[in-house]
Amino acid sequence: MKKNVIIGQSGGPTAVINASLYGVAYEALNHEDSFGSVYGMINGVEGFLSDQYIDLKPFELSGELELIKTTPGSYLGSCRYKLPEDLTDGVYPVLFEKLNALNIGYFFYIGGNDSMDTVSKLSRYAEIINSDIRVIGVPKTIDNDLVETDHTPGFGSAAKYIASTVREISVDASVYDNKKSVTIVEIMGRHAGWLTGASALARKFKGDNPVLIYLPETNFDQDAFIEKVRTSLETTSNLVVCISEGIHDKNGTFICELASDVGVDAFGHKMLTGSGKYLENLVKERLGVKVRSIELNVCQRCSSSMLSKTDHKEAIASGAFAVKAALEGSTGKMISLKRQEGSAYLIDYVTSDVNVICNQEKPVPLEWINEEGTDVTDAFISYAKPLIQGEVTIPMEDGVPKFAYRK
Amino acid sequence: MKKNVIIGQSGGPTAVINASLYGVAYEALNHEDSFGSVYGMINGVEGFLSDQYIDLKPFELSGELELIKTTPGSYLGSCRYKLPEDLTDGVYPVLFEKLNALNIGYFFYIGGNDSMDTVSKLSRYAEIINSDIRVIGVPKTIDNDLVETDHTPGFGSAAKYIASTVREISVDASVYDNKKSVTIVEIMGRHAGWLTGASALARKFKGDNPVLIYLPETNFDQDAFIEKVRTSLETTSNLVVCISEGIHDKNGTFICELASDVGVDAFGHKMLTGSGKYLENLVKERLGVKVRSIELNVCQRCSSSMLSKTDHKEAIASGAFAVKAALEGSTGKMISLKRQEGSAYLIDYVTSDVNVICNQEKPVPLEWINEEGTDVTDAFISYAKPLIQGEVTIPMEDGVPKFAYRK
């Protein structure tokens, strides 16, 4: 009897996590000789534990799967559910009983760090109980902070959105170019500066905006920052500065926490202001120049308007490769993207031990940040540029993007 | 001797103000029998007063003009310069001396309310001094608040960006659809709710997000709002609420001002928090539910990723029509868009008296807002939907949009 397949999505959404879902589902549905049914868990492991899942075959037949391919967010729903460290916990037998009842032989989980932790635990538990269920992780995170892979699907599209948007913000900021101004753009990435660094791709020429870029990999010094802004304004009238939400001082205190220390809202609660807002006030106070801050917010992870074709293609391919790897016997692995040596951008798909990936973070290498901590180097740009290449056309209806959604 | 043409841009930028610049410039450059040189003022009237202008002919020859057509922001630079009410002020003879020295016969000014005030004053002054310079306004504003025109170029693209982005935010908000949450999206429009109303175009079906929409045309009541959010959460787990930045209570106090009353930053300054942030805290306090707020910020006026083809086409056509109107002797006019009666969406270009347009604001009609003040009606949707139709392909380079810029 052929074994069935189940797929889950977990953690924060990206613009291409559904492209990976498409990759796994399409590949599995088209190996009818190897697989039985193909199921999707609703809200990941958490939903599956309360028997929430759907059969994906009808979605292929109705054409919905095609639409899922270009829909941002997690079509199956997501969760932030951490399995217990103790593999003797009662949740494991419950989970495997449910998997066995559905005759599952292949378990695919699309996600980032925490999701790979789930893959690690389930594959280790399967080994302990001699289950033949193969558990495979498919990487996904805009943060690009997974180790053992050149980059992660989701990063390229977010980076392309950020580079494009910062270029547009720079245009907007320069319309009153006879007056000086500072625009601070706050970009996601609490511990890793990959996305903030990608704002460098917005530049049209050397010295173009964003002139200053601050990553969380280095310590942020307020006085040095103000001095740098002051001197930069001498050559760039309308200065654009990109900062990571996670910038922090040398004691490890987040800059946004400095703001929260003082503001209290109408209810007596500490005001949770972003780092950008804090620096906006700082620049206004110290330099008396026109300044505004912009938080790119969730749009950087959910916008479908700037999908990178490279990223989209790789997200699908990672999902499809996961199915092939599982068929060949892999378990306890994550699909990794390996960049070939040489000047051309070429990617090989390989499997990596998920146990060395989960609960680790990959920061931007310090040698890819300039000495002052105010910019990324050419090596960073060479690394990131291929990842944002190419566009994906999104189906439209009535003037807005057409997305798949569960009815 | 043929008279020369000068074009200026003024006020806040939009995604298609350069399309209007293209429309005027292209039309004028291709009437060599009627016009001499075609100039662009740098930073509007303010820059022109310090002799800042360029000849646009070389831009047509180099292909730059084609690129300007799809570049957001004000290519020529903008200004917020208000001419004196007193037409006997010394600035007027200075300005006209400069115009005469350049042998200007046609003056085109692309902008919103304040810019039409400039057109009004210059045309009235020209009449007083018997100058034959013809002064014509080309409408531009994302706010859609100009009277005497069905809508304004710039609104359609901003509306399309907002509708698309709110749809994406709704997808993002729903990934943990087994948990309740509220997402508040703050949209531009201090006094007119056209842009906020356009968020209704994000809905895929009746009752879809954004479930609640608050415009500045009605008074905002905090208690009624909280009650509405509470009951809406009973049917929509992940509620998206769109609010205008200009919502205010029945005394006319902006909701964002309520927040500023209490928060004080590290420098002892009042914290300038948006209405969205204030309501985020209010919902958290009163309902204890997961909540976040998102400010769409300048992206709604400068994004090139969601240009409406209808809007783009009309922006170009308004500029081109302005040239024809001036040739036929018009002055002291603004180009207006007149929607034809009937079910098909068809636009006629006409001229309107600029003196009745400037310094007026057109709010959303109250009959297009539901009785509770929590949504727009079908009439609003029928009005707005045609304006966001069609897409424009932006030239790309190295993975990001390619824009024109002054070197």
Side-chain angles (χ1 to χ4, degrees):
Chain A
M1 190 184 170
K2 284 179 289 185
K3 289 284 189 175
N4 297 329
V5 170
I6 198 159
I7 315 166
Q9 296 176 309
S10 164
T14 79
V16 300
I17 181 170
N18 285 331
S20 288
L21 167 62
Y22 170 89
V24 177
Y26 184 87
E27 190 72 18
L29 287 164
N30 285 279
H31 272 90
E32 290 184 347
D33 49 328
S34 308
F35 305 116
S37 296
V38 179
Y39 298 111
M41 303 177 211
I42 303 302
N43 298 119
V45 164
E46 187 177 20
F48 184 68
L49 276 167
S50 52
D51 302 310
Q52 302 289 308
Y53 61 87
I54 50 174
D55 184 350
L56 290 172
K57 184 73 184 171
F59 294 82
E60 186 189 28
L61 300 174
S62 68
E64 181 88 345
L65 196 58
E66 256 327 291
L67 197 54
I68 288 174
K69 193 165 66 171
T70 49
T71 296
S74 306
Y75 181 81
L76 296 173
S78 189
C79 68
R80 290 205 179 274
Y81 181 82
K82 204 168 165 67
L83 283 166
E85 297 300 325
D86 178 3
L87 295 182
T88 66
D89 188 281
V91 73
Y92 291 100
V94 171
L95 195 51
F96 273 72
E97 206 169 290
K98 288 181 189 290
L99 291 170
N100 289 330
L102 267 181
N103 191 34
I104 299 296
Y106 307 89
F107 183 110
F108 298 97
Y109 217 44
I110 312 168
N113 257 312
D114 292 339
S115 312
M116 293 311 132
D117 180 68
T118 298
V119 171
S120 164
K121 285 167 178 162
L122 292 183
S123 61
R124 284 186 282 131
Y125 182 78
E127 199 185 342
I128 290 169
I129 62 164
N130 278 318
S131 163
D132 57 1
I133 296 179
R134 296 171 193 170
V135 190
I136 300 279
V138 180
K140 167 282 339 174
T141 170
I142 61 166
D143 292 329
N144 200 36
D145 60 352
L146 295 186
V147 298
E148 299 283 311
T149 183
D150 178 75
H151 59 280
T152 57
F155 171 64
S157 294
K160 187 183 183 83
Y161 176 86
I162 288 164
S164 301
T165 304
V166 169
R167 180 172 282 195
E168 289 168 339
I169 288 171
S170 302
V171 166
D172 189 271
S174 69
V175 303
Y176 303 113
D177 51 358
N178 50 346
K179 313 264 194 290
K180 285 196 186 299
S181 73
V182 178
T183 302
I184 299 165
V185 184
E186 182 179 325
I187 296 169
M188 281 181 168
R190 198 86 173 162
H191 302 294
W194 297 103
L195 287 174
T196 306
S199 67
L201 302 173
R203 293 177 188 143
K204 299 181 292 295
F205 50 84
K206 212 174 158 60
D208 190 20
N209 273 318
V211 170
L212 302 175
I213 299 178
Y214 292 93
L215 273 55
E217 279 79 1
T218 59
N219 296 327
F220 185 86
D221 181 89
Q222 297 189 49
D223 294 328
F225 166 74
I226 287 295
E227 187 52 22
K228 198 72 196 169
V229 168
R230 201 184 59 70
T231 55
S232 299
L233 279 168
E234 287 166 12
T235 45
T236 304
S237 293
N238 304 109
L239 188 70
V240 177
V241 182
C242 290
I243 59 156
S244 159
E245 60 176 335
I247 52 168
H248 53 80
D249 66 18
K250 65 179 193 296
N251 303 316
T253 305
F254 287 118
I255 299 304
C256 61
E257 290 182 294
L258 300 175
S260 312
D261 276 357
V262 279
V264 177
D265 71 13
F267 318 108
H269 296 160
K270 278 186 182 180
M271 297 276 271
L272 290 169
T273 300
S275 306
K277 197 75 183 164
Y278 177 81
L279 294 181
E280 176 187 326
N281 286 324
L282 184 74
V283 169
K284 203 182 292 166
E285 170 77 10
R286 298 268 193 97
L287 299 177
V289 69
K290 186 183 158 196
V291 54
R292 67 179 167 188
S293 64
I294 299 167
E295 208 184 319
L296 292 192
N297 219 309
V298 300
C299 297
Q300 60 201 298
R301 75 177 182 210
C302 69
S303 174
S304 67
S305 64
M306 273 295 152
L307 285 187
S308 152
K309 189 170 190 171
T310 303
D311 185 34
H312 191 249
K313 205 176 61 185
E314 291 174 352
I316 297 171
S318 305
F321 187 81
V323 175
K324 289 176 208 140
L327 258 188
E328 288 169 7
S330 288
T331 187
K333 303 287 187 188
M334 184 189 84
I335 307 310
S336 290
L337 287 74
K338 200 172 161 187
R339 194 185 297 222
Q340 291 182 16
E341 301 276 335
S343 58
Y345 175 76
L346 291 164
I347 287 295
D348 291 325
Y349 297 89
V350 296
T351 55
S352 299
D353 183 355
V354 77
N355 301 303
V356 305
I357 293 170
C358 59
N359 307 316
Q360 291 237 44
E361 280 179 336
K362 183 176 71 178
V364 175
L366 287 178
E367 59 269 28
W368 286 6
I369 301 170
N370 73 350
E371 215 164 310
E372 285 185 295
T374 59
D375 201 354
V376 291
T377 65
D378 288 346
F380 180 97
I381 290 172
S382 302
Y383 163 84
K385 194 176 269 182
L387 312 182
I388 68 164
Q389 298 305 311
E391 288 75 52
V392 178
T393 304
I394 301 293
M396 303 288 289
E397 67 177 347
D398 260 350
V400 286
K402 184 175 181 182
F403 297 141
Y405 62 99
R406 282 184 289 123
K407 274 97 194 168
Chain B
M1 190 185 169
K2 284 181 289 186
K3 289 284 191 175
N4 297 328
V5 169
I6 197 159
I7 314 166
Q9 296 176 308
S10 164
T14 78
V16 299
I17 181 170
N18 286 331
S20 289
L21 168 62
Y22 171 89
V24 178
Y26 185 87
E27 190 72 17
L29 288 164
N30 285 280
H31 272 91
E32 289 184 349
D33 48 329
S34 308
F35 305 115
S37 295
V38 178
Y39 298 111
M41 304 177 211
I42 303 302
N43 298 119
V45 164
E46 187 177 20
F48 184 69
L49 277 168
S50 53
D51 302 310
Q52 301 289 307
Y53 62 88
I54 50 174
D55 184 351
L56 289 172
K57 184 72 184 171
F59 294 82
E60 186 190 28
L61 300 175
S62 68
E64 182 87 345
L65 196 58
E66 250 335 284
L67 198 54
I68 288 174
K69 192 164 68 171
T70 48
T71 296
S74 307
Y75 182 81
L76 295 174
S78 189
C79 68
R80 291 205 179 275
Y81 180 82
K82 204 168 165 67
L83 282 167
E85 297 300 326
D86 179 4
L87 295 182
T88 66
D89 188 280
V91 74
Y92 290 99
V94 171
L95 196 51
F96 273 72
E97 205 169 289
K98 288 180 188 289
L99 291 170
N100 290 330
L102 266 182
N103 189 34
I104 299 297
Y106 306 90
F107 183 110
F108 298 97
Y109 217 46
I110 312 168
N113 256 312
D114 293 339
S115 312
M116 293 311 133
D117 180 69
T118 298
V119 172
S120 164
K121 285 167 179 164
L122 292 183
S123 61
R124 284 186 282 130
Y125 182 77
E127 199 184 342
I128 291 169
I129 64 165
N130 277 319
S131 163
D132 58 1
I133 297 179
R134 297 171 192 170
V135 190
I136 300 278
V138 180
K140 167 283 336 175
T141 169
I142 61 165
D143 292 328
N144 200 37
D145 60 353
L146 295 186
V147 298
E148 299 284 309
T149 183
D150 178 76
H151 58 280
T152 57
F155 171 64
S157 294
K160 187 184 183 83
Y161 176 86
I162 288 164
S164 301
T165 304
V166 169
R167 180 172 281 196
E168 290 168 338
I169 288 171
S170 303
V171 166
D172 188 271
S174 69
V175 303
Y176 304 112
D177 51 358
N178 50 347
K179 312 265 193 290
K180 285 196 186 300
S181 73
V182 178
T183 302
I184 299 165
V185 183
E186 182 179 327
I187 296 169
M188 281 181 169
R190 198 83 171 162
H191 302 294
W194 297 103
L195 287 174
T196 306
S199 68
L201 302 173
R203 292 177 188 143
K204 299 180 291 294
F205 51 84
K206 212 173 158 60
D208 190 20
N209 274 319
V211 171
L212 302 175
I213 299 178
Y214 292 92
L215 274 54
E217 279 78 0
T218 59
N219 296 328
F220 184 87
D221 181 90
Q222 297 188 51
D223 293 328
F225 166 73
I226 287 296
E227 187 51 23
K228 197 73 197 169
V229 168
R230 202 184 58 71
T231 55
S232 300
L233 278 169
E234 287 166 12
T235 45
T236 304
S237 294
N238 305 108
L239 188 70
V240 177
V241 182
C242 290
I243 59 156
S244 160
E245 60 176 335
I247 52 168
H248 53 79
D249 66 18
K250 64 179 194 295
N251 304 317
T253 306
F254 287 119
I255 299 305
C256 60
E257 289 180 296
L258 300 175
S260 312
D261 276 357
V262 278
V264 177
D265 71 12
F267 318 107
H269 297 161
K270 277 187 182 178
M271 296 277 271
L272 290 169
T273 301
S275 306
K277 197 73 185 167
Y278 177 82
L279 294 181
E280 176 187 326
N281 286 324
L282 185 75
V283 169
K284 203 181 295 167
E285 172 76 10
R286 297 269 193 97
L287 300 177
V289 69
K290 186 184 160 196
V291 54
R292 67 178 167 189
S293 64
I294 299 166
E295 208 184 320
L296 292 191
N297 219 310
V298 299
C299 297
Q300 60 200 298
R301 75 177 182 210
C302 69
S303 173
S304 66
S305 65
M306 273 295 153
L307 285 187
S308 152
K309 190 170 189 169
T310 303
D311 185 35
H312 191 248
K313 205 177 60 185
E314 291 175 351
I316 297 172
S318 305
F321 187 81
V323 175
K324 290 176 209 140
L327 259 187
E328 288 168 8
S330 289
T331 188
K333 304 286 185 189
M334 184 188 84
I335 307 310
S336 290
L337 286 74
K338 198 171 162 188
R339 193 186 299 222
Q340 291 181 17
E341 301 276 336
S343 58
Y345 175 75
L346 291 165
I347 286 295
D348 291 323
Y349 297 88
V350 296
T351 55
S352 300
D353 183 355
V354 77
N355 300 303
V356 304
I357 294 171
C358 59
N359 307 317
Q360 291 237 44
E361 280 178 337
K362 183 175 71 178
V364 175
L366 287 178
E367 58 270 28
W368 286 6
I369 302 171
N370 73 351
E371 216 164 310
E372 285 185 295
T374 60
D375 201 354
V376 291
T377 66
D378 289 345
F380 180 96
I381 291 172
S382 302
Y383 163 84
K385 195 176 268 183
L387 311 182
I388 68 164
Q389 299 304 311
E391 288 74 52
V392 177
T393 304
I394 301 293
M396 302 289 288
E397 66 176 347
D398 260 350
V400 286
K402 184 175 180 182
F403 297 141
Y405 62 99
R406 282 183 289 122
K407 273 97 193 167

